[in-house]
Amino acid sequence: DTEVTQTPKHLVMGMTNKKSLKCEQHMGHRAMYWYKQKAKKPPELMFVYSYEKLSINESVPSRFSPECPNSSLLNLHLHALQPEDSALYLCASSQPLSDQPQHFGDGTRLSIL
Amino acid sequence: GQQVMQIPQYQHVQEGEDFTTYCNSSTTLSNIQWYKQRPGGHPVFLIQLVKSGEVKKQKRLTFQFGEAKKNSSLHITATQTTDVGTYFCAGHTGTASKLTFGTGTRLQVTL
């Protein structure tokens, strides 16, 4: 069981497509995160939203565009991706304090053709 | 930038044997968290350590945080096949929201 829901579970897209990944949580958490995870590697932080405001952007290319419409939802808009962007994209949420555990969704497995 | 390394990268044990993974940070951590990721799954929070020298136990799992708050370890006693997965340590430093994951240790357990 996961309390963070990500859709879609799998996505195949061409380099010219535009798509969006979605993440939803109903735990009342006010921090939400996007991570990228390549096979046999740790999750790498991409973006952090705290109280619906972007607080961290880890120098992610502009072809990835995050959005936080409200405290429960987090989107990642994708445009003109490259083959090396193929990875598992994980969403997580927590209370916005450093001593709080992060709760991860199942992820979206993205393949760029 | 901050680096968090884990050793070993991979360990294969027979069921019933013990297992330990070590985590080392290049910078002092405010706390350290441990996560487990099953094959094909997502990271699941196991525990958090905050105090220098802290030791916590969860059934067969023992977690330690070093005195200098730069290293940590996870020890599993008498492994079971359900312990299979990748174990990540993850630490916070100055920026409250930024969690840096260690390189991970993949554990394989066979009968």
Side-chain angles (χ1 to χ4, degrees), chain A residues 37 42 58 98 102 105-106, chain B residues 31 35 37 42 48 92 98 102:
Chain A
Q37 187 176 29
E58 287 288 285
S98 67
Q102 293 188 11
D106 289 335
Chain B
N31 60 52
Y35 291 80
Q37 186 172 20
H42 58 273
Q48 175 171 270
H92 285 103
K98 182 174 178 179

Side-chain angles (χ1 to χ4, degrees), chain A residues 54-90:
Chain A
L54 183 65
S55 60
I56 296 178
N57 176 343
E58 287 288 285
S59 302
V60 179
S62 60
R63 57 186 185 267
F64 295 90
S65 175
E67 178 195 21
C68 189
N70 59 55
S71 60
S72 300
L73 293 173
L74 185 66
N75 299 321
L76 186 62
H77 303 298
L78 315 173
H79 174 55
L81 295 194
Q82 304 297 308
E84 61 265 27
D85 297 322
S86 298
L88 179 68
Y89 287 84
L90 292 161

Side-chain angles (χ1 to χ4, degrees), chain A:
Chain A
D1 288 347
T2 182
E3 298 169 53
V4 178
T5 304
Q6 289 188 244
T7 55
K9 292 193 184 305
H10 302 274
L11 180 62
V12 179
M13 58 187 286
M15 289 190 283
T16 57
N17 292 157
K18 287 185 181 181
K19 295 285 185 184
S20 298
L21 309 185
K22 298 186 182 300
C23 176
E24 187 171 8
Q25 59 90 12
H26 293 289
M27 293 180 282
H29 290 162
R30 300 304 299 274
M32 296 186 77
Y33 313 80
W34 281 115
Y35 288 87
K36 174 183 178 180
Q37 187 176 29
K38 300 282 263 186
K40 299 186 180 180
K41 297 292 185 183
E44 292 179 17
L45 184 65
M46 299 174 72
F47 302 104
V48 180
Y49 274 83
S50 182
Y51 297 100
E52 295 88 69
K53 292 192 187 320
L54 183 65
S55 60
I56 296 178
N57 176 343
E58 287 288 285
S59 302
V60 179
S62 60
R63 57 186 185 267
F64 295 90
S65 175
E67 178 195 21
C68 189
N70 59 55
S71 60
S72 300
L73 293 173
L74 185 66
N75 299 321
L76 186 62
H77 303 298
L78 315 173
H79 174 55
L81 295 194
Q82 304 297 308
E84 61 265 27
D85 297 322
S86 298
L88 179 68
Y89 287 84
L90 292 161
C91 172
S93 71
S94 75
Q95 292 302 351
L97 297 168
S98 67
D99 63 348
Q100 298 300 303
Q102 293 188 11
H103 298 257
F104 285 81
D106 289 335
T108 293
R109 194 160 296 280
L110 177 65
S111 297
I112 308 300
L113 300 178

